[in-house]
């Protein structure tokens, strides 16, 4: 093959990528370099003269060394972050090399067709209606904006209001109801869409982390027929809890409310016959969102929105331009997406789904749940640890209370966080702290395709070691 100006920088990138990925089982999982170190290595005035491309790549790789969390490790548990499946990663490289603008069919025929096919596969695996429209967005945040823009269009159209023309000036307020555990990205989507937070009712969850049906009924009844959107959780970000769709969606329907389901990772339970029951009734919602970059293990960034009412979806987001052609028998992404020019995200999703197949997706989801349970139970058996939440799916919570008699709540919280810091400093595994029912806890989130039984063993051993050390240093009287 004739050499090109791309060979050297791409070969350098390949070398660094392979080195990085080969270090995953041995390198510390958490980043080691601090902000000052990274700034010192990477900053400096931008020179007047350019630098040869391969050297830029080498310098960048050297500069960020130690400043990357090994998110693609099987022992990275702090947040719901997947790794990149091999085919998805490779397809994502090609996406950059092909450099397609996935605006619509005319601008990139292959990107449009691949996205159309991958969207169909996703609906099948996620148990959503085949007739639903969809969008491949940057993540669940923009998928929420997409679904809730369709919702805003839908509920206001029913109230005789054309929101695309009139805006929200003088519109009837839209009441939003969710549990208090709705994700922060819902809050931001509502703000971006001009719906604000004043008309948003956040109902405390019950012991199982679910929105109580009677409270939903009451919240919807008290708005006297005003337009309403109900946001339900398929996988709470701390506990993985699912709202009871079978009980809640009929209540919302009786009140003519639009139901939007946040299934950032939980919607993937649909791929497994063992966990699918958690989503029973969710197919009756009006819009759903999930992520590719979490449990499907597609590289960042990748989120999906699905809408049962294509007219409301296209009514909210569709856009057509005089200088672009539109073909009637293909899907133009610009009718469904919040972006104009955009990355061809369909390639990586297509590749991930083909690499795994339906059985592979199912096995990956079940593995994540089993390993989350094994880690939470394993930690729960250690002296000085408590289980706060056994995983329903792939999310669990544990806590490390201060072992000293008479320790205050603040001391318990501080001890919990000190143990987490110790685990992370040792480098065998990586976790984050969170607040749970007013106290500090540690999240266990398993969403990486690589996590295996050996990772579980190494992780529990690392937590045991950190607990022993912390108690030796600070737990004087036990
Ligand atoms: C991660 C997450 C989001 C936000 O998704 P992004 O892809 O990060 O934008 C929303 N809801 C839940 C439940 C999540 O876990």
């Amino acid at each position: 093959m004739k050499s090109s100006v791309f060979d050297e920088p791409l070969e350098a990138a390949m070398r660094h990528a392979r080195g990085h990925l080969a270090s995953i089982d041995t390198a510390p999982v958490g980043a080691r370099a601090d902000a000052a170190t990274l700034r010192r290595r990477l900053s400096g005035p931008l020179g007047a003269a350019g630098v040869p491309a391969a050297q830029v790549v080498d310098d960048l790789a050297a500069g960020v060394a130690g400043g990357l969390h090994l998110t693609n490790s099987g022992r990275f548990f702090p947040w719901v972050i997947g790794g990149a499946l091999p085919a998805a990663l490779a397809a994502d490289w090609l996406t950059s090399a092909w450099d397609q603008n996935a605006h619509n069919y005319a601008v990139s025929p292959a990107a449009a067709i691949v996205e159309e096919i991958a969207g169909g596969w996703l609906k099948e695996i996620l148990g959503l209606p085949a007739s639903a429209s969809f969008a491949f967005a940057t993540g669940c945040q923009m998928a929420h904006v997409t679904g809730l823009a369709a919702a805003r269009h839908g509920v206001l159209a029913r109230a005789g209001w054309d929101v695309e023309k009139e805006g929200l000036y003088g519109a009837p307020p839209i009441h939003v109801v969710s549990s208090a555990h709705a994700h922060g990205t819902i809050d931001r989507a509502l703000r971006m869409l001009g719906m604000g937070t004043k008309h948003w009712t956040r109902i405390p969850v019950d012991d199982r982390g679910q929105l109580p049906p009677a409270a939903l009924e009451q919240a919807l009844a008290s708005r006297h027929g005003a337009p309403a959107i109900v946001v339900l959780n398929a996988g709470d970000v701390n506990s993985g809890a699912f709202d009871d769709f079978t009980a809640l969606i009929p209540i919302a329907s009786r009140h003519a409310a639009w139901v939007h389901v946040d299934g950032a990772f939980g919607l993937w339970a649909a791929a497994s016959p063992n966990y699918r029951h958690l989503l029973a009734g969710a197919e009756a919602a009006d819009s759903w969102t999930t992520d590719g970059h979490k449990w499907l293990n597609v590289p960042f960034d990748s989120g999906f929105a699905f809408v049962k009412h294509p007219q409301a979806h296209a009514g909210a987001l569709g856009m057509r331009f005089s200088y672009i052609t539109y073909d009637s028998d293909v899907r133009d992404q610009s009718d469904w997406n919040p972006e104009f020019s955009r990355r061809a995200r369909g390639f990586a999703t297509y590749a991930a789904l083909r690499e795994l197949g339906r059985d592979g997706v199912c096995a990956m989801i079940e593995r994540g749940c089993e390993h989350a349970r094994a880690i939470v139970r394993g930690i729960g058996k250690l002296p000085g640890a408590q289980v706060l939440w056994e995983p329903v799916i792939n999310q669990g919570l544990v806590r490390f209370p201060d072992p000293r008699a008479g320790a205050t709540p603040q001391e318990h919280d501080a001890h919990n966080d000190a143990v987490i810091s110790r685990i992370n400093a040792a480098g065998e595994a990586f976790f984050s702290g969170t607040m749970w029912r007013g106290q500090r806890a540690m999240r266990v989130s398993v969403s990486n395709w690589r996590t295996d039984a050996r990772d579980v063993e190494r992780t529990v051993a690392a937590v045991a070691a950190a607990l022993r050390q912390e108690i030796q240093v600070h737990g004087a009287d036990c």
Side-chain angles (χ1 to χ4, degrees), residues 139-141 144 183 185 235 237 262 264-265 291 293-294:
C140 217
Q141 171 72 78
H144 285 330
H183 195 265
T185 49
V237 74
D262 179 354
F265 54 93
D291 268 316
H293 55 221
K294 289 182 175 171

Side-chain angles (χ1 to χ4, degrees), residues 80 138-144 181-186 188 233-237 262-266 289-294 300 302-303 395 443:
V80 197
T138 47
C140 217
Q141 171 72 78
M142 288 312 290
H144 285 330
H181 282 194
H183 195 265
T185 49
I186 294 290
R188 193 155 62 159
N233 263 339
D236 171 83
V237 74
D262 179 354
F265 54 93
T289 54
T290 191
D291 268 316
H293 55 221
K294 289 182 175 171
F300 285 95
S302 177
Q395 307 287 115
R443 293 180 60 187

Side-chain angles (χ1 to χ4, degrees), residues 34-242:
D34 61 12
T37 307
L38 293 169
R39 279 200 195 98
R40 182 168 40 70
R41 281 202 223 131
L42 292 153
S43 66
L46 179 62
V51 174
Q55 191 190 328
V56 171
V57 174
D58 287 341
D59 292 350
L60 180 63
V64 303
L68 306 169
H69 291 313
L70 287 192
T71 50
N72 26 23
S73 154
R75 285 164 286 114
F76 182 81
F77 309 113
W79 305 291
V80 197
I81 287 181
L85 283 158
L89 169 58
D92 199 57
W93 283 10
L94 278 177
T95 303
S96 292
W98 292 334
D99 200 13
Q100 299 294 288
N101 179 352
H103 171 80
N104 79 342
Y105 179 82
V107 180
S108 176
I113 297 301
V114 167
E115 191 171 307
E116 177 186 297
I117 294 165
W121 289 346
L122 286 172
K123 284 187 277 183
E124 232 178 286
I125 283 194
L126 299 171
L128 303 177
S131 57
S133 53
F134 59 88
F136 282 40
T138 47
C140 217
Q141 171 72 78
M142 288 312 290
H144 285 330
V145 169
T146 302
L148 291 170
R152 186 181 69 164
H153 175 104
V155 298
L156 286 179
R158 257 182 255 151
W161 189 266
D162 181 346
V163 68
E164 281 70 40
K165 177 160 169 246
E166 305 285 343
L168 289 171
Y169 305 106
I174 300 169
H175 290 250
V176 179
V177 186
S178 71
S179 83
H181 282 194
H183 195 265
T185 49
I186 294 290
D187 180 287
R188 193 155 62 159
L190 294 175
R191 284 187 276 141
M192 287 167 83
L193 290 164
M195 293 194 270
T197 50
K198 180 175 149 191
H199 301 283
W200 180 12
T201 308
R202 277 171 268 197
I203 299 172
V205 295
D206 63 17
D207 292 348
R208 288 161 302 169
Q210 298 178 324
L211 197 166
L216 176 67
E217 173 71 49
Q218 196 186 2
L220 288 174
S222 69
R223 81 196 207 290
H224 308 296
I229 298 170
V230 173
V231 178
L232 300 180
N233 263 339
D236 171 83
V237 74
N238 279 313
S239 67
F242 287 67

